[in-house]
């Protein structure tokens, strides 16, 4: 099996797993229990929170642990700030669908053909009623990095809160730089070699945030539910490693991305379009003009694991909303394949993957 779907999920890093194990075994206490075992777990959560805060450049009191990126996205888009939300049309489905539940309503911000949400497009939809702007740091299907610096300036001028989904960006972009531009950001563990089921919502002090999950005093009474201690510890370790090694990892996957795209262009010429501009180094989204029906299944049977877009929508018959937002037809939006590379990906796997793609399409 050749795994080129690291944007969907990553394996748990060995260092991360080692840090988690004590909290799955001997130190298994509930962090809200007022006894020795509970205090040990609570201390682990506190230390993890402090580490995440330091990495992102915020206060520990601005870090709220969640079950992952989808919960963090929903919490932000539904319960951050007052007023109507302006949501980019290329956001993860968690943001777009969550925005439909926002009581004050929302409007979509269009993207251009390169997969970019321009500052001009944001400016065009901002009104005095806009209280929240949602633009992701990097798109999860194309990898296109968004111009947050300019968008942040607009939001400050209009007194709107800026929220950015940083789930895909956390392994390759500087989170401190991004967080400095935003009022809130979302993170997820399983995209950065931590376990599934853990993430965080970072919300700056002074930004209004209402609770989404009632029934407990956890997370300053804003997010009820017993904390996933082992996952939180693992998340903090993985996030630190991802940011510490992001330049090295970007160089590794970037070389593989370049090799892959050169081979795809040589093999398919104009019948394969690489989607998006100014992209993360680990994601290549290709629209194949002559893609056969059930291409993903054919690739899978041939031993190549990839996605047709966001893994969260892998079983949907609908065309990619990201491709539609970029001006593609419904037919084109169904012919896209996302290839994503990780720390374990090798040059040999890239070359073999191209051979498999050529065979399945021809």
């Amino acid at each position: 099996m050749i795994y080129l779907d690291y944007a969907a999920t990553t394996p748990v890093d060995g260092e991360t797993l080692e840090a988690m194990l004590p909290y799955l075994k001997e130190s298994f206490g509930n962090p809200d229990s007022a006894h020795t075992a509970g205090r040990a777990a609570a201390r682990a959560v506190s230390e993890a929170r402090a580490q995440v805060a330091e990495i992102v450049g915020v206060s520990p009191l601005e870090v709220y642990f969640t079950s992952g990126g989808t919960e963090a996205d929903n919490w932000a888009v539904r319960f951050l700030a007052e007023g109507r939300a302006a949501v980019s049309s290329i956001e993860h489905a968690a943001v777009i669908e969550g925005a439909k539940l926002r009581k004050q309503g929302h409007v979509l911000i269009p993207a251009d053909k390169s997969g970019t949400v321009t500052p001009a497009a944001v400016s065009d939809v901002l009104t005095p009623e806009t209280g929240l702007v949602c633009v992701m740091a990097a798109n999860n299907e194309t990898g296109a990095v968004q111009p947050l610096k300019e968008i942040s300036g607009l939001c400050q001028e209009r007194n709107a809160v800026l929220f950015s989904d940083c789930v895909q960006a956390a392994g390759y972009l500087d989170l401190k730089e991004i967080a400095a531009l935003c009022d809130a950001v979302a993170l997820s563990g399983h995209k950065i070699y931590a376990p599934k089921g853990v993430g965080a919502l970072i919300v700056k002090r002074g930004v209004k945030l209402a609770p989404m999950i009632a029934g407990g005093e956890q997370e300053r009474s804003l997010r009820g539910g017993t904390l996933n201690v082992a996952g939180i510890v693992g998340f903090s370790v993985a996030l630190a490693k991802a940011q510490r090694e992001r330049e090295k990892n970007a160089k590794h996957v970037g070389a593989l991305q370049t090799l892959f795209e050169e081979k795809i262009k040589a093999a398919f010429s104009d019948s394969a379009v690489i989607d998006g501009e100014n992209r993360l180094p680990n994601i290549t989204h290709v629209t194949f003009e002559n893609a056969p029906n059930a291409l993903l299944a054919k690739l899978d049977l041939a031993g190549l694991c990839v996605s047709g877009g966001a893994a969260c929508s892998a079983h949907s018959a609908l065309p990619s909303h990201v491709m539609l937002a970029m001006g593609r037809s419904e037919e084109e939006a169904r012919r896209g394949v996302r290839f994503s590379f990780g720390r374990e990906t090798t040059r040999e796997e890239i070359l073999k993957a191209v051979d498999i793609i050529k065979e399945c399409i021809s």
Side-chain angles (χ1 to χ4, degrees):
M1 183 183 78
I2 298 175
Y3 185 81
L4 296 185
D5 203 17
Y6 285 86
T9 196
T10 58
V12 176
D13 175 77
E15 181 182 340
T16 295
L17 180 59
E18 186 176 348
M20 293 172 58
L21 287 176
Y23 302 98
L24 293 169
K25 299 171 73 175
E26 60 267 18
S27 297
F28 59 86
N30 186 323
D32 293 304
S33 296
H35 48 55
T36 302
R39 289 196 299 273
R43 185 164 54 252
V45 170
S46 179
E47 291 172 354
R49 194 186 308 276
Q51 177 158 273
V52 170
E54 182 179 1
I55 294 163
V56 182
V58 298
S59 162
L61 292 175
E62 296 171 328
V63 178
Y64 299 87
F65 290 117
T66 69
S67 65
T70 292
E71 181 190 332
D73 282 347
N74 267 265
W75 195 0
V77 74
R78 293 171 62 186
F79 296 102
L80 261 182
E82 297 283 354
R84 189 171 59 175
V87 176
S88 93
S89 55
I90 60 167
E91 293 298 298
H92 188 280
V95 173
I96 291 179
E97 294 302 314
K100 295 176 182 178
L101 302 175
R102 187 176 175 89
K103 291 181 180 179
Q104 302 96 333
H106 76 289
V107 62
L108 287 179
I109 310 168
D112 64 20
K113 292 182 179 180
S114 71
T116 301
V117 177
T118 65
V122 175
S123 181
D124 286 345
V125 303
L126 290 180
T127 70
E129 288 74 41
T130 305
L132 176 67
V133 174
C134 303
V135 179
M136 64 200 327
N139 184 258
N140 52 299
E141 292 191 29
T142 66
V145 177
Q146 303 305 310
L148 286 181
K149 184 175 182 180
E150 293 81 2
I151 293 171
S152 174
L154 281 172
C155 291
Q156 291 176 24
E157 289 174 10
R158 309 290 184 89
N159 293 317
V161 168
L162 176 59
F163 163 68
S164 187
D165 176 336
C166 294
V167 168
Q168 289 294 343
Y172 299 100
L173 301 182
D174 188 331
L175 287 180
K176 280 187 178 178
E177 289 186 3
I178 295 173
L181 298 170
C182 302
D183 299 290
V185 300
L187 300 167
S188 178
H190 74 107
K191 310 294 188 179
I192 52 171
Y193 303 87
K196 302 169 184 66
V198 66
L201 176 64
I202 313 294
V203 181
K204 302 283 186 67
R205 274 181 287 194
V207 178
K208 185 175 181 181
L209 176 67
M212 185 171 71
I213 300 176
E217 297 180 357
Q218 294 87 355
E219 300 304 271
R220 280 84 80 203
S221 297
L222 288 175
R223 195 263 185 190
T226 303
L227 293 173
N228 174 5
V229 179
I232 287 168
V233 170
F235 171 65
S236 69
V237 171
L239 186 66
K241 187 170 184 177
Q243 284 290 288
R244 185 172 64 247
E245 299 181 355
R246 63 185 179 84
E247 292 183 358
K248 181 184 75 173
N249 293 332
K251 184 177 180 180
H252 170 68
V253 297
L256 297 176
Q257 182 191 61
T258 298
L259 174 65
F260 179 77
E261 293 179 3
E262 287 175 350
K263 295 295 182 182
I264 289 295
K265 290 174 183 176
F268 295 97
S269 189
D270 295 336
S271 65
V273 176
I274 295 172
D275 304 301
E277 295 179 4
N278 187 31
R279 295 173 288 122
L280 292 175
N282 67 315
I283 296 178
T284 296
H285 188 281
V286 185
T287 299
F288 293 100
E289 182 179 327
N290 301 315
N293 292 331
L295 175 59
L296 293 180
K298 294 178 190 294
L299 294 172
D300 183 31
L301 289 172
L304 179 58
C305 296
V306 295
S307 288
C312 303
S313 307
H315 300 288
S316 173
L318 298 174
S320 162
H321 74 277
V322 173
M323 291 296 108
L324 293 177
M326 291 167 61
R328 304 298 175 80
S329 67
E330 287 197 8
E331 182 183 356
E332 289 172 323
R334 286 189 172 95
R335 294 202 304 263
V337 181
R338 182 185 67 183
F339 305 89
S340 49
F341 321 111
R343 298 196 308 227
E344 289 82 7
T345 308
T346 66
R347 177 184 175 88
E348 290 71 28
E349 287 179 321
I350 294 295
L351 297 175
K352 178 62 176 174
V354 173
D355 288 340
I356 291 173
I357 296 164
K358 289 159 60 177
E359 182 178 346
C360 289
I361 289 182
S362 65

